[in-house]
């Protein structure tokens, strides 16, 4: 620990004991506790290193008149110290532990009514319960009784903490019991006991001597769960819900013996809850069952009570509860043939009723629920809820083994398409369905969205190729419907793209369907709602990506894409008044033109005009979304072009645009635009130095944690590499490569980023500059002519403007030059004479020769700049969070002392004590 922190800690403890002195903010004690927790985790004893803590705890405990917050903090700190056996022993020897956790004393002193004191008591105990001595202390003091009472505390925070405390006690100490299973033979049981013994040895602080204490805890908790699960009246349902959550948490982590003990204790109560049919408890009850199943991975057969409960849940009379129980089991349950098949039939029943499709066989085991489900579907709220649950699970159902399904999977796809037609108002599409239910789903946006999501997932269903025409027909109808919600249209586009991805053979589509799609897209791209225009433009981009990959049906894809006139539509979208649409159009254009880039095809005038428009957007658009997309367009172009570097119209246009993109992007006001610009600069570096021995990609030189505000690209770019073997001529060409980077504007972009006020920009630029420095400024030990080569490189220069970032870089260079002059002067004279050298301010203005602070630009050597910027020190600062100075233990201790000192002085009313913001 820092020496200054050690010296301040006793004074801080004195301030905390004196409850009349308020703390600087409400979270100070929590931060202080976090600091102590970190010190404890790093090893060593807190009390031995800092005896003042024992004195502090003793004073607060005996005084019993402190602030409730300080008392709570003291209890938590006591538990933290007592988490080690040595700390526990030291507190016991001072008789502090018994007094600190004697809740009756706090009750008599009037502090127990404060929830923060109860929270401190619970959390202190939980921290302490890490070894067998603490468990014995816990049991002998009969804290379990109070902890069980706190499960129903009026404060939800206290009740939650008490529940977590129970779970911790049972789960942490369960290794004192030998594991076993009642359904396995003696030999297997002996093997498991051996494994448990090994686990006991591996867990420090837990011994077999604790078995009796632990057994008493298990017994007390089991009895409590048994008696409290079933609510005596309706107002106690919340209590039952909380206990069910606790039980699910316990069962999910319990070993066989603890799991079996808990299940035996609560089996009858759980059965009673299932029979009572409380809808609020349906899903929590399923959580119990699934937790018990998931913990049976040790080879034991699930408890018969669990199997019986599951059967009861899948036979409930309430249709809504029945549907939700079946869905919960299907999503997370094991592959139980009997129960899975029943859950599938339950979930398909509402879809069968509404659409009239024969999804269930005549001998289905869920016919007894059909009447009640039909009646429930006639109520709009219940109908929509049940149908949406069924639709959400339909894709999973179609992928199950055939022996678990009551019908062919394709029939489920047909039923969903039929439901979509009904929702759109086409009631004639299902004459055999329940017409009384139609009115509940017609025009329902929620059902439409769920059905479209289901249809998207159903594209992977085996044997659905024959349904492609019907799918396209229904989706185009939805896209053409003037009443369709923007979200419904968006999901319709998503479904279209997904089905094209899976069913790439589009030969079954009629010319009429293709023409209908073209017309509806042309209409929707001009929709009054910007969300619809955005979805349409996004669809055009994704469509290009899907059809481009379907090389086996190139003629069909070209017909569909070309007929849709995507390029003219996307060009028009670049003028859209909404920035989101403009940004989406740019991304779609990148996907549409990617095929031409990869093939090296000649550029059309239309494509050249698009590039000009993108440069215009980058320089003039008022919204950052479009400008970011413009830079990403050029990144995608650069990374998608052919791996060879032979000249082509596409390559020439790209490279002629790069300089403008770097110049405008690095001067943008949006920090994300600047970071994307640096990503383009990084690709240019990778390309330029590909094959050079000393070059490491920027990602290989990044140090420290990822910045919390870092921009994560939505794709991974793979820069091209030169083919062929490396030759010694690469080093000699280093100067030409560096000079070319200067002409492209890469060096200016990096230096501009380094001087930027946005940390992510500065960090990215600094990392790339370090990579560049290590490549071009360090002589290669393998090259015999390294000195000559590096001398050539040293003559490469770049221009620093006299304003903006150039001015900042020039100031840094000037200070570095001045520092070197001072060092030389001191070495020559043996003392510092301020009159003999320029002062700091003057150094900043003049600095090195030719690098002043005037308005004219100057040229400086690239290597000299890279060596003089102090990049390594700059990187160390940039990788730290912005509050690394203020958010420190020392600052926290100083604030506590400063706040208390200010309160002892006379202050005017309304005056505040200003402290660091954490």
């Amino acid at each position: 620990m820092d020496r200054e922190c050690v010296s301040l800690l006793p004074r801080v403890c004195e301030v905390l004991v004196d409850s009349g002195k308020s703390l600087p903010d409400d979270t100070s004690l929590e931060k202080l506790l976090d600091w102590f927790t970190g010190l404890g985790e790093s090893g060593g004893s807190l009390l031995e290193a800092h005896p003042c803590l024992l004195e502090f705890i003793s004073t607060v405990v005996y005084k019993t008149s402190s602030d409730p917050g300080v008392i709570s903090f003291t209890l938590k700190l006591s538990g933290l110290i007592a988490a080690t056996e040595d700390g526990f022993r030291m507190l016991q020897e001072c008789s502090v532990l018994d007094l600190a956790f004697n809740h009756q004393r706090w009750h008599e002193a009037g502090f127990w009514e404060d929830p923060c004191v109860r929270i401190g008591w619970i959390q202190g105990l939980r921290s302490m319960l890490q070894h067998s001595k603490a468990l014995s202390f816990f049991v002998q003091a009969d804290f379990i009784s109070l902890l069980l009472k706190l499960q129903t505390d009026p404060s939800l925070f206290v009740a939650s903490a008490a529940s977590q405390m129970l779970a911790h006690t049972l789960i942490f100490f369960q290794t004192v019991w030998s594991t076993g299973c009642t359904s396995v033979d003696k030999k297997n049981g002996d093997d498991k006991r051996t494994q448990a013994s090994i686990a006991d040895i591996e867990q420090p602080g837990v011994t077999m001597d604790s078995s009796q204490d632990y057994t008493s805890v298990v017994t007390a908790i089991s009895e409590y769960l048994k008696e409290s699960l079933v609510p005596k009246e309706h107002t106690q349902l919340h209590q039952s819900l909380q206990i069910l959550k606790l039980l699910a948490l316990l069962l999910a982590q319990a070993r066989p013996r603890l799991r079996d003990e808990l299940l035996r204790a609560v089996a009858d109560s759980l059965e009673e809850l299932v029979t009572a049919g409380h809808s609020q408890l349906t899903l929590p009850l399923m959580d119990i069952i699934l937790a018990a199943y998931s913990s049976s991975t040790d080879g034991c057969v699930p408890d018969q009570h669990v199997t019986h409960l599951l059967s009861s849940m899948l036979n409930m009379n309430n249709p809504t509860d029945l549907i939700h129980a079946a869905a919960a089991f299907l999503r997370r349950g094991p592959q139980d043939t009997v129960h899975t098949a029943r859950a599938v039939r339950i979930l398909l029943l509402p879809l069968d009723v509404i659409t009239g499709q024969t999804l269930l066989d005549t001998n289905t085991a869920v016919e007894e629920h059909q009447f009640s489900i039909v009646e429930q579907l006639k109520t709009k709220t219940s109908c929509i809820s049940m149908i949406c649950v069924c639709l959400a699970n339909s894709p999973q159902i179609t992928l199950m083994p055939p022996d678990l399904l009551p019908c062919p999977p394709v029939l489920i796809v047909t039923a969903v398409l039929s439901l979509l037609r009904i929702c759109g108002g086409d009631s004639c599409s299902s004459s055999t369905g329940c017409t009384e239910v139609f009115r509940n789903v017609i025009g329902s946006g929620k059902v439409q969205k769920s059905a479209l999501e289901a249809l998207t997932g159903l594209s992977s269903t085996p044997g659905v190729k024959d349904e492609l025409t019907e799918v396209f027909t229904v989706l185009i109808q939805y896209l053409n419907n003037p009443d369709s919600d923007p979200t419904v249209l968006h999901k319709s586009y998503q479904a279209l793209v997904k089905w094209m991805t899976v069913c790439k053979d589009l030969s079954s589509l009629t010319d009429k369907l293709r023409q209908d799609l073209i017309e509806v897209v042309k209409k929707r791209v001009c929709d009054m709602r910007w969300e619809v225009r955005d979805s349409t433009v996004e669809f055009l981009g994704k469509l290009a990506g899907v059809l481009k990959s379907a090389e086996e049906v190139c003629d069909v894809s070209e017909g569909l894409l070309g007929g849709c006139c995507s390029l003219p539509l996307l060009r028009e979208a670049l003028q859209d008044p909404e920035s989101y649409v403009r940004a989406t159009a740019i991304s779609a254009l990148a996907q549409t033109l990617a095929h031409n880039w990869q093939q090296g095809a000649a550029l059309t005038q239309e494509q050249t005009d698009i590039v000009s428009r993108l440069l215009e957007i980058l320089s003039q658009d008022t919204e950052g979304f479009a400008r970011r997309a413009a830079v990403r367009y050029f990144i995608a172009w650069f990374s998608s072009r052919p791996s060879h570097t032979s000249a082509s119209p596409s390559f020439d246009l790209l490279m002629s645009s790069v300089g403008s993109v770097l110049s405008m992007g690095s001067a943008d006001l949006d920090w994300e635009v600047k970071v994307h610009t640096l990503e383009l600069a990084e690709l240019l570096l990778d390309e330029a130095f590909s094959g050079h021995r000393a070059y490491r990609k920027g990602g290989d030189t990044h140090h420290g944690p990822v910045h919390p505000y870092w921009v994560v690209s939505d794709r991974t770019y793979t820069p091209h590499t030169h083919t062929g073997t490396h030759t010694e001529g690469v080093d000699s060409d280093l100067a030409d490569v560096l000079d070319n980077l200067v002409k492209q504007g890469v060096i200016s972009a990096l230096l501009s980023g380094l001087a930027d006020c946005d940390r992510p920009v500065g960090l990215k630029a600094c990392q790339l500059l370090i990579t560049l420095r290590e490549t071009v400024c360090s002589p290669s030990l393998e090259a015999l002519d390294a000195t000559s080569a590096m001398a050539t490189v040293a003559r490469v220069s770049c221009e620093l403007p006299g304003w903006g970032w150039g001015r900042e870089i020039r100031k840094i260079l000037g200070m570095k030059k001045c520092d070197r002059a001072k060092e030389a002067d001191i070495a020559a004279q043996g003392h510092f004479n301020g009159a003999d050298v320029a002062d700091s301010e003057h150094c900043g203005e003049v600095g090195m020769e030719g690098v002043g602070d005037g308005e004219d630009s100057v040229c400086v050597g690239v290597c000299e700049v890279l060596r003089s910027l102090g990049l390594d020190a700059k990187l160390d600062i940039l990788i730290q969070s912005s509050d690394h100075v203020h958010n420190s233990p020392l600052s926290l201790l100083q604030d506590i002392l400063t706040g208390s000192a200010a309160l002892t002085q006379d202050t005017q009313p309304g005056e505040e004590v200003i402290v660091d913001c954490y």
Side-chain angles (χ1 to χ4, degrees):
M1 193 190 331
D2 185 86
R3 287 186 177 181
E4 195 167 356
C5 289
V6 175
S7 64
L8 292 180
L9 191 55
R11 292 168 54 197
V12 169
C13 289
E14 292 176 4
V15 169
L16 296 182
V17 169
D18 187 354
S19 302
K21 298 180 180 179
S22 300
L23 296 170
D25 68 73
D26 294 338
T27 62
S28 296
L29 292 177
E30 292 301 322
K31 294 166 187 171
L32 198 56
L33 191 69
D34 290 341
W35 178 45
F36 287 137
T37 301
L39 293 176
E41 291 174 350
S42 63
S45 170
L46 283 175
L47 288 184
E48 290 180 356
H50 316 292
C52 63
L53 293 180
L54 180 57
E55 182 181 353
F56 164 73
I57 294 173
S58 301
T59 304
V60 173
V61 169
Y62 281 100
K63 189 177 179 182
T64 66
S65 61
S66 300
D67 180 80
V70 175
I71 294 174
S72 179
F73 167 77
T74 304
L75 293 172
K76 295 174 185 177
L77 179 60
S78 300
L80 181 64
I81 293 173
T84 64
E85 293 193 22
D86 288 341
F88 181 88
R89 176 183 51 78
M90 294 176 69
L91 290 180
Q92 279 285 65
E93 290 176 352
C94 298
S95 302
V96 170
L97 213 53
D98 292 314
L99 289 175
F101 289 96
N102 186 345
H103 67 281
Q104 190 62 35
R105 294 182 70 250
W106 300 119
H107 184 79
E108 293 171 356
F111 289 108
W112 189 253
E113 298 303 317
D114 195 309
C116 78
V117 174
R118 301 198 297 275
I119 284 278
W121 186 85
I122 295 171
Q123 292 183 352
L125 279 177
R126 179 175 178 178
S127 297
M128 183 196 309
L129 284 174
Q130 305 294 327
H131 48 84
S132 57
K133 291 182 179 179
L135 178 62
S136 298
F137 170 76
F138 177 79
V139 172
Q140 291 170 11
D142 195 26
F143 287 148
I144 186 64
S145 301
L146 177 58
L147 200 59
L148 293 173
K149 291 179 182 178
L150 291 175
Q151 299 294 310
T152 56
D153 193 272
S155 169
L156 294 179
F157 294 104
V158 174
S160 176
S163 179
Q164 294 294 324
M165 169 67 177
L166 285 181
H168 167 78
T169 306
L170 286 181
I171 299 303
F172 185 82
F173 289 101
Q174 65 179 320
T175 51
V176 301
W177 278 3
S178 59
T179 43
C181 186
T182 55
S183 61
V184 297
D185 56 29
K186 183 178 185 300
K187 180 180 182 298
N188 289 339
D190 292 340
D191 291 341
K192 292 188 178 298
R193 279 191 290 274
T194 302
Q195 296 171 4
S197 300
I198 296 173
D200 294 339
I201 295 172
E202 291 176 349
Q203 184 168 349
V206 178
T207 64
M208 294 304 294
D209 296 336
S210 308
S211 181
Q212 187 173 357
D213 290 330
Y214 183 69
T215 301
S216 65
V217 172
V218 173
T219 302
I221 294 177
S222 299
E223 287 298 319
Y224 170 79
L225 296 175
K226 175 182 178 181
E227 296 174 2
S228 305
L229 262 176
V230 181
K232 303 298 186 293
E233 52 189 45
H234 191 76
T235 56
Q236 294 181 326
L237 278 178
H238 178 73
Q239 176 182 336
S240 298
L241 178 62
Q242 294 302 114
I243 295 176
L244 286 173
K245 290 180 179 179
L246 170 61
L247 186 57
L249 176 64
L250 293 172
L251 291 175
Q253 302 180 53
R255 295 187 179 183
R257 183 174 178 182
L258 176 58
R259 180 194 64 218
D260 296 342
E261 183 75 19
L262 292 173
L263 286 175
R264 278 195 296 270
V266 301
D268 293 338
S269 298
L270 290 174
E271 183 68 34
E272 189 174 346
L273 279 181
V274 173
T275 305
H278 298 293
S279 296
Q280 304 96 314
L281 304 181
T282 298
L283 292 181
L285 280 168
M286 286 303 300
D287 289 339
I288 296 292
I289 294 171
L290 296 175
Y293 264 96
S294 64
S295 65
S296 301
T297 56
D298 50 16
C300 301
V301 178
D303 190 281
Q304 60 179 354
H305 296 296
V306 177
T307 305
H308 180 68
L309 280 174
L310 179 58
S311 299
S312 300
M313 293 293 291
L314 296 180
N315 278 286
M316 289 187 295
N317 294 325
N318 188 314
T320 303
D321 294 343
L322 181 66
I323 293 291
H324 282 95
F329 179 75
L330 205 61
R331 283 195 305 269
R332 297 186 287 130
Q335 287 298 317
D336 180 326
T337 304
V338 176
H339 292 107
T340 300
R342 181 173 182 82
V344 166
R345 284 162 172 77
I346 290 172
L347 288 169
L348 291 179
L349 187 51
L351 202 57
D352 177 275
V353 170
I354 293 181
T355 64
Q357 301 289 338
T358 310
L359 301 180
L360 303 179
D361 48 50
T362 55
N363 297 323
T364 180
V366 296
E367 283 184 344
E368 68 271 19
H369 297 292
Q370 184 161 355
F371 177 78
S372 62
I373 285 182
V374 170
E375 292 302 311
Q376 196 77 19
L377 289 173
K378 293 178 182 179
T379 304
K380 186 170 185 177
T381 303
S382 301
C383 174
I384 293 176
S385 174
M386 292 168 63
I387 286 296
C388 289
V389 172
C390 297
L391 289 169
N393 289 274
S394 58
Q396 179 184 352
I397 291 175
T398 60
L399 299 178
M400 288 185 170
D403 59 321
L404 297 178
L405 300 180
C407 64
V410 177
L411 200 55
I412 299 176
V413 180
T414 304
V416 172
L417 289 171
S418 179
L419 178 61
L420 280 169
R421 289 185 179 277
I422 294 172
C423 290
D426 185 8
S427 58
C428 299
S429 63
S430 182
S431 57
T432 59
C434 184
T435 55
E436 296 179 73
V437 182
F438 288 175
R439 58 186 174 85
N440 291 332
V441 298
I442 291 177
S444 171
K446 188 172 183 179
V447 175
Q448 289 175 345
K449 295 168 192 174
S450 296
L452 289 168
E453 289 174 355
L455 186 62
T456 303
L458 289 168
S459 59
S460 301
T461 301
V464 292
K465 180 181 178 181
D466 295 338
E467 297 294 324
L468 186 62
T469 299
E470 183 67 13
V471 169
F472 264 70
T473 301
V474 171
L475 292 176
I476 291 174
Q477 287 176 354
Y478 265 77
L479 291 173
N480 211 22
N481 188 342
D483 298 326
S484 290
D485 180 84
T487 307
V488 170
L489 292 172
H490 180 67
K491 292 186 180 298
S492 299
Y493 282 129
Q494 287 181 321
L496 270 175
V497 172
K498 185 65 175 178
W499 277 79
M500 288 181 185
T501 304
V502 177
C503 304
K504 293 182 179 180
D505 185 1
L506 306 179
S507 58
S508 61
L509 296 180
T510 64
D511 292 336
K512 183 179 183 307
L513 275 179
R514 294 195 189 96
Q515 190 60 38
D516 288 344
L517 178 61
I518 293 171
E519 294 301 322
V520 74
V521 168
K522 286 182 177 179
K523 181 178 75 172
R524 289 302 186 187
V525 83
C526 300
D527 197 283
M528 293 182 61
R529 297 163 293 183
W530 73 264
E531 299 94 339
V532 177
R533 301 197 303 274
D534 189 65
S535 296
T536 306
V537 170
E538 181 186 35
F539 167 72
L540 289 174
K542 291 184 176 179
L543 182 67
V546 170
L547 297 178
K548 178 190 65 179
S549 63
E551 297 177 357
E552 66 274 12
V553 287
C554 185
D555 55 337
V556 178
S557 66
E558 288 297 327
L560 187 58
L561 186 59
C564 197
C565 305
S566 61
L567 277 178
L569 292 177
L570 294 176
R571 279 193 63 189
E572 188 66 25
L574 292 178
Q575 310 290 339
D576 197 277
E578 175 56 52
S579 62
Y580 288 104
V581 180
R582 297 196 297 273
T584 304
I586 295 171
S587 300
L589 281 169
Q591 297 177 73
T592 303
L593 297 176
H595 186 65
N596 291 336
W597 300 337
Q598 293 172 354
Q599 296 300 321
L603 290 174
T604 64
Q605 183 61 42
E606 185 175 47
Q607 293 168 337
T608 305
D609 292 342
I610 288 173
V611 173
S612 300
R613 173 58 184 151
L614 292 180
L615 293 176
E616 182 182 336
I617 287 176
L618 187 56
S619 64
Q620 299 179 11
D621 202 295
T622 58
E623 298 290 339
F625 301 107
R627 302 199 304 274
R628 295 170 200 164
V631 179
R632 288 197 298 266
Y633 178 96
F634 288 97
I635 292 175
W637 189 356
F638 193 91
S639 60
S640 300
R641 66 189 179 84
S643 57
H644 57 80
T645 57
S646 59
S648 68
S650 174
F651 176 74
D652 293 340
L653 179 60
L654 170 63
M655 298 313 295
S656 65
S657 306
V658 161
S660 298
V661 175
L662 292 174
S663 176
M664 291 184 291
S666 59
D668 201 277
L669 296 178
D670 186 288
W671 70 271
E672 292 192 52
V673 174
K674 289 181 283 192
V675 168
H676 290 314
T677 302
L678 292 173
E679 290 175 359
L680 177 59
E682 183 176 7
L683 287 176
L684 290 166
L685 287 176
D686 292 341
E687 174 78 11
F689 294 112
S690 176
H692 192 277
R693 289 191 298 269
Y695 181 74
R696 292 185 299 168
K697 290 184 180 180
D700 298 334
T701 60
H702 293 180
H703 305 290
V706 177
H707 193 273
Y709 301 115
W710 193 245
V711 178
V712 180
S713 299
D714 53 2
R715 58 173 294 178
T716 302
Y717 304 114
T718 305
H720 316 291
T721 56
H722 297 289
T723 56
T725 59
H726 171 77
T727 64
E728 293 186 4
V730 173
D731 283 328
S732 62
D733 293 337
L734 206 55
D736 293 336
V737 172
L738 185 58
D739 187 59
N740 190 45
L741 290 173
V742 172
K743 293 177 181 178
Q744 290 174 342
V746 174
I747 306 301
S748 295
L750 296 182
L751 293 175
S752 173
L754 185 69
D756 198 89
C757 59
D758 287 306
R759 184 180 300 274
V761 181
L763 178 61
K764 179 74 174 177
C766 188
Q767 291 167 332
L768 294 178
L769 285 169
I770 289 175
T771 299
L772 182 63
R773 183 194 65 191
E774 293 175 350
T775 303
V776 301
C777 299
S778 299
S780 173
L781 298 178
E782 299 177 8
L784 297 177
D785 59 342
T787 302
S788 174
M790 295 313 297
T792 304
V793 171
R795 288 195 290 269
V796 177
S797 62
C798 64
E799 190 175 21
L800 297 180
W803 46 265
W805 65 267
R807 182 175 181 177
E808 296 300 319
I809 296 296
R810 290 161 71 171
K811 282 185 178 180
I812 297 174
L813 295 176
M815 294 301 298
K816 291 291 183 181
K817 180 69 174 179
C818 186
D819 290 342
R820 288 195 293 270
K822 289 180 182 179
E823 292 173 1
D825 186 73
I826 292 172
Q829 300 182 21
H831 66 278
F832 178 74
N833 187 343
D836 294 334
V837 294
D839 57 37
S840 299
E841 184 179 356
H842 186 63
C843 287
E845 294 177 351
V846 179
M848 52 194 306
E849 183 179 355
V851 186
D853 194 22
E855 294 299 326
D856 296 333
S857 60
V858 296
C859 289
V860 294
V862 175
C863 283
E864 176 65 18
V865 170
L866 294 177
R867 292 192 186 101
S868 303
L869 287 175
L871 295 174
D872 297 306
K874 181 81 169 176
L875 181 63
D876 290 339
I877 295 174
L878 288 170
I879 62 177
Q880 298 181 42
S881 62
S882 58
D883 63 348
H884 71 277
V885 174
H886 298 292
N887 190 12
S888 65
L890 178 60
S891 180
L892 174 62
L893 298 179
Q894 288 174 338
D895 277 355
I896 294 175
L897 294 175
T898 302
S900 64
L903 289 172
T904 62
Q905 303 172 359
D906 294 333
T907 57
Q908 296 298 323
E911 287 186 351
E912 294 184 71
V913 178
I914 306 301
V915 296
D916 289 341
C917 178
Y918 300 95

